[in-house]
Amino acid sequence: MPQDFSQFNLDPRIQRAIQKCGFTEPTQVQKTGIPLALDGKDLVVQAKTGSGKTAAYLIPLLELLLKQKQLDEKDRGIFTLILVPTRELAQQVFKVLEKLTLYCGKHIKFVNIATNAADLVQRPLLLDFPDIVISTPSRSVVHFSSGALSLDKIKFLVIDEADLILSFGYQDDMSSLSKALPRGVQTLLMSATLTESIASLRQLVCRDPVVLRLEDKEADGQLTQYAVKTSEQDKFLLAYILLKLRLIKGKILIFVNEINRCYRLKLYLEQFGMKSLVLNSELPVNSRMNIVDQFNKGLYQIIIATDESDKVAELDEDNEDRQEATNEANEEADSKMEEDSKDSQDSGETARKTKSKQKKAIKKDREYGVVRGLDFENVSCVLNFDMPTTAKAYIHRVGRTARAGKPGTAMSFFIPKSDVGKHKPTTLATCKKDESVLRRLSKKGIEPKPYVFDKKQTDAFRYRMEDALRSVTSVAVQTARAAELRQEMLASEKLKSYFAENPDELLTLTHDTAASVRLARTQRHLRHVPEYLLPKGLQAVNKDVGFVPFKKQNNRRTAKKKKNTKHRHDPLRSMRRSK
Ligand SMILES: Nc1ncnc2c1ncn2[C@@H]1O[C@H](COP(=O)(O)OP(=O)(O)OP(=O)(O)O)[C@@H](O)[C@H]1O
């Protein structure tokens, strides 16, 4: 297996671009996948999030395209179709292509048609026969139907995040496209998680593929995962402590389960002088990409995101559960013929209900996806402020850190089912699933370590949390949400000409935005943490990234333990358990 990019015998222009990207050594999926793809094999690849799958398919594609161009310079056509489930991912693949074609851009043309640009604008781009088209299945179908996208000369088909393609409701689009593809297309299906839906996709588009399931043990060790049992209100307390005392260092991606909670948490953190960006499906795709860019450039350290593709995954896992339940029921039913017919009626009814539920969710979530495949750079910690509702969503969320062999931490707050609804304020309905998601993860061999904060230490900060939360009223949250949308409208290129014709509306919008700048009452004293509240020795921790636990209390018991240097670096052991 090649250990070095030079061993792939790539075109020198690609080789230089790889060096320019700073890739010194191929990742596991690249070492295994590139030679097979260069050899013309169809591939179904499952490899961990952040393991370099994008380059694993783009590098061989570019090599094969350049070779083909050398053979017949005059041959023109759309040779490659890259299908992704979301617009964000399409734009990201486009950017990676820009980097990899830095020295051969003259010979390889590519377009992304999963954008907001009007069909009329995209049409001429396609009629110019770019070598590579990046798209979502639905955008491809739109242009294929209008005759702008010709599939006659397609030689390579890539489906990235393949398991999401069908669960995003692209079944019909995929079956129309597969019928239009010529024979002998080389297909590469890539995903971090393989599900049932891959099997049907594989049947639709692959010819006897090589299946690669790559377990990168080395990369596994890079992600440290913690689960913190807490309550709704203490989530805010712990977030304050973790972020303000810089127990989490470096860039942080926080996930919540509702759009309103993005703004609540953002306003709450602002009370302590902490700036963050919000990312959700309500914002236009250009703004979303802009936000990821600003974060990647290091202009902001904290993003608060919702992960609405969760809902689609939830339906998938619900289906899996139902399938398991149905299988069990069927086994039992072998001995009870009468009950058997009732069971199948019931499961038919359930399937119908699920299908209609699925249709509704898909309509809402289509082409939006913050989590799948997006490369947030150098994220040191993923904080699940709200636990995702499926194990699969958990895997993809935490996969935004510990990418490309770098270390990372994932911390997830969970509320025990028995506590849901017990305390004020009322907890989110999704919390009911927190523990079942942890159980599912455990079945998959993923066991976040339990982490217990020292109540004595955290309680010292409680009044500050309560003080800040009081200022973040529901009205302030709604105002912030509306203000953000207004700002995005003002920034929108598309609306510029409209406002030029309707200056009064622009004036009203500008006025409303200015009026809502002060969204929540802020209290200057909350910005600083008084020295006396800080746990002893906290400032002595000089780590730049990752999770830094509270130092031990200086009492006799812990003083004894201090002698044991092995334990000193283990965050779990350095906490004094409160329960
Ligand atoms: N050979 C390499 N050496 C160093 N970094 C690499 C290499 N290949 C890719 N990377 C970097 O690794 C990061 C993750 O790559 P990529 O987004 O392709 O991962 P992925 O496997 O597609 O993840 P996901 O499943 O989340 O989509 C990117 O920042 C990319 O630039």
Side-chain angles (χ1 to χ4, degrees):
M1 195 190 296
Q3 297 302 315
D4 202 279
F5 280 109
S6 63
Q7 290 172 299
F8 294 129
N9 293 324
L10 299 168
D11 186 289
R13 291 166 289 181
I14 303 179
Q15 192 74 48
R16 271 177 74 201
I18 292 173
Q19 270 168 14
K20 181 93 179 164
C21 287
F23 302 170
T24 45
E25 195 191 304
T27 62
Q28 184 66 27
V29 65
Q30 293 161 0
K31 282 179 197 168
T32 329
I34 292 176
L36 290 166
L38 286 175
D39 211 21
K41 299 274 190 308
D42 276 12
L43 297 180
V44 174
V45 178
Q46 181 204 3
K48 211 184 150 289
T49 50
S51 56
K53 292 189 285 296
T54 320
Y57 67 76
L58 287 182
I59 291 172
L61 277 184
L62 290 175
E63 175 69 19
L64 293 169
L65 282 171
L66 282 175
K67 276 223 171 91
Q68 179 187 314
K69 297 227 151 193
Q70 273 161 9
L71 289 177
D72 186 354
E73 228 177 87
K74 290 201 182 105
D75 192 13
R76 296 190 69 202
I78 297 172
F79 298 120
T80 310
L81 182 62
I82 300 179
L83 294 176
V84 294
T86 65
R87 291 162 186 244
E88 284 90 342
L89 196 52
Q91 190 149 339
Q92 186 173 289
V93 172
F94 184 86
K95 284 190 174 170
V96 181
L97 252 181
E98 278 183 323
K99 289 185 186 159
L100 289 174
T101 53
L102 191 63
Y103 303 104
C104 60
K106 252 198 214 162
H107 303 280
I108 306 276
K109 302 276 175 238
F110 48 94
V111 295
N112 169 17
I113 55 169
T115 64
N116 279 342
D119 294 356
L120 276 177
V121 176
Q122 292 183 343
R123 213 178 143 77
L125 298 177
L126 289 170
L127 294 175
D128 198 29
F129 295 131
D131 302 283
I132 305 174
V133 171
I134 307 161
S135 176
T136 54
S138 58
R139 296 300 300 148
S140 299
V141 168
V142 166
H143 285 294
F144 174 67
S145 310
S146 77
L149 174 66
S150 159
L151 298 177
D152 299 351
K153 291 216 167 178
I154 293 286
K155 287 191 164 17
F156 311 105
L157 171 71
V158 178
I159 306 183
D160 200 352
E161 298 295 342
D163 63 333
L164 256 204
I165 288 278
L166 291 190
S167 52
F168 258 51
Y170 291 125
Q171 289 93 329
D172 295 346
D173 298 332
M174 280 313 302
S175 99
S176 326
L177 290 172
S178 69
K179 280 179 202 145
L181 288 170
R183 278 178 165 268
V185 171
Q186 183 182 353
T187 305
L188 311 176
L189 302 191
M190 320 293 291
S191 186
T193 41
L194 289 188
T195 54
E196 290 275 300
S197 63
I198 296 253
S200 39
L201 202 55
R202 179 178 148 174
Q203 273 188 341
L204 207 60
V205 292
C206 290
R207 321 151 290 177
D208 195 18
V210 177
V211 180
L212 297 176
R213 285 174 185 263
L214 299 170
E215 304 273 329
D216 194 342
K217 290 279 176 234
E218 259 174 50
D220 277 356
Q222 297 293 316
L223 177 67
T224 315
Q225 304 174 69
Y226 298 108
V228 181
K229 184 164 141 187
T230 183
S231 64
E232 168 67 6
Q233 203 175 48
D234 280 9
K235 285 183 179 182
F236 287 90
L237 175 66
L238 297 181
Y240 163 64
I241 291 170
L242 286 166
L243 300 173
K244 190 68 187 174
L245 305 193
R246 302 205 60 231
L247 300 186
I248 293 178
K249 298 199 173 203
K251 288 204 271 182
I252 299 143
L253 191 50
I254 304 179
F255 284 106
V256 292
N257 285 0
E258 277 179 2
I259 296 180
N260 260 355
R261 280 168 84 76
C262 280
Y263 293 98
R264 180 171 297 282
L265 191 55
K266 178 186 163 74
L267 293 180
Y268 170 74
L269 295 180
E270 271 172 18
Q271 295 287 313
F272 304 108
M274 289 184 272
K275 293 255 173 284
S276 59
L277 290 166
V278 159
L279 196 57
N280 59 58
S281 61
E282 227 173 44
L283 304 171
V285 66
N286 290 349
S287 313
R288 300 200 301 255
M289 288 315 293
N290 199 20
I291 287 164
V292 177
D293 263 2
Q294 290 185 38
F295 182 72
N296 283 350
K297 282 182 189 147
L299 300 176
Y300 286 83
Q301 293 290 98
I302 306 172
I303 282 195
I304 305 169
T306 52
D307 169 18
E308 283 138 85
S309 63
D310 259 23
K311 287 177 194 124
V312 179
E314 193 179 334
L315 287 166
D316 269 1
E317 283 190 9
D318 281 355
N319 280 345
E320 271 172 34
D321 272 0
R322 269 189 208 101
Q323 191 62 49
E324 261 177 42
T326 312
N327 288 348
E328 279 168 22
N330 282 347
E331 274 168 29
E332 263 180 46
D334 279 347
S335 56
K336 296 178 190 168
M337 289 296 280
E338 277 173 34
E339 278 176 33
D340 188 28
S341 77
K342 190 178 173 296
D343 274 353
S344 65
Q345 268 172 24
D346 286 352
S347 67
E349 182 60 22
T350 315
R352 265 195 301 283
K353 279 186 189 159
T354 311
K355 219 172 174 182
S356 76
K357 195 176 156 195
Q358 199 163 11
K359 266 192 183 161
K360 272 186 206 158
I362 286 158
K363 206 170 175 195
K364 194 174 166 220
D365 296 331
R366 210 167 156 155
E367 302 206 350
Y368 165 74
V370 162
V371 158
R372 283 303 196 102
L374 267 198
D375 191 25
F376 294 92
E377 288 166 18
N378 301 321
V379 173
S380 84
C381 180
V382 168
L383 175 62
N384 282 319
F385 188 86
D386 295 326
M387 192 76 181
T389 50
T390 65
K392 207 206 259 181
Y394 176 94
I395 294 169
H396 283 278
R397 282 187 185 187
V398 303
R400 300 312 101 197
T401 184
R403 292 172 77 77
K406 293 187 184 129
T409 308
M411 183 170 278
S412 305
F413 293 160
F414 74 96
I415 299 182
K417 199 169 177 186
S418 52
D419 286 0
V420 174
K422 234 189 209 174
H423 309 285
K424 294 269 175 195
T426 332
T427 41
L428 270 182
T430 58
C431 297
K432 281 186 201 146
K433 292 202 161 191
D434 289 1
E435 281 181 318
S436 74
V437 172
L438 285 170
R439 272 195 301 275
R440 268 182 216 267
L441 286 169
S442 166
K443 273 191 202 164
K444 290 178 190 284
I446 302 168
E447 309 254 10
K449 300 179 204 170
Y451 192 93
V452 184
F453 282 83
D454 182 340
K455 202 166 177 311
K456 250 192 214 153
Q457 289 184 332
T458 56
D459 270 352
F461 298 91
R462 191 170 289 280
Y463 79 93
R464 299 176 80 77
M465 173 271 289
E466 287 169 349
D467 210 2
L469 261 189
R470 263 194 298 275
S471 300
V472 186
T473 58
S474 302
V475 175
V477 170
Q478 290 303 338
T479 317
R481 188 169 168 177
E484 181 112 344
L485 274 180
R486 272 199 293 271
Q487 239 152 26
E488 292 309 329
M489 280 169 76
L490 283 173
S492 164
E493 283 295 321
K494 264 192 167 178
L495 288 172
K496 267 192 185 144
S497 54
Y498 174 79
F499 286 134
E501 286 165 20
N502 302 280
D504 287 352
E505 287 197 30
L506 177 63
L507 210 66
T508 318
L509 200 62
T510 318
H511 175 264
D512 284 357
T513 308
S516 57
V517 163
R518 283 198 60 102
L519 303 166
R521 181 175 64 99
T522 48
Q523 306 167 76
R524 292 196 76 78
H525 71 277
L526 288 179
R527 289 174 177 241
H528 307 286
V529 185
E531 198 72 11
Y532 64 85
L533 283 181
L534 291 176
K536 282 205 176 78
L538 189 70
Q539 297 91 335
V541 179
N542 54 358
K543 223 173 149 186
D544 289 333
V545 293
F547 172 54
V548 183
F550 275 161
K551 281 266 164 163
K552 285 170 269 185
Q553 294 281 49
N554 194 15
N555 60 20
R556 277 171 71 207
R557 214 172 129 221
T558 50
K560 227 181 191 180
K561 273 190 187 170
K562 250 185 191 170
K563 284 181 192 157
N564 188 342
T565 48
K566 199 176 150 208
H567 290 171
R568 200 181 299 167
H569 300 294
D570 181 344
L572 283 177
R573 289 176 194 270
S574 69
M575 293 293 300
R576 228 164 57 82
R577 291 187 174 244
S578 56
K579 286 170 199 168

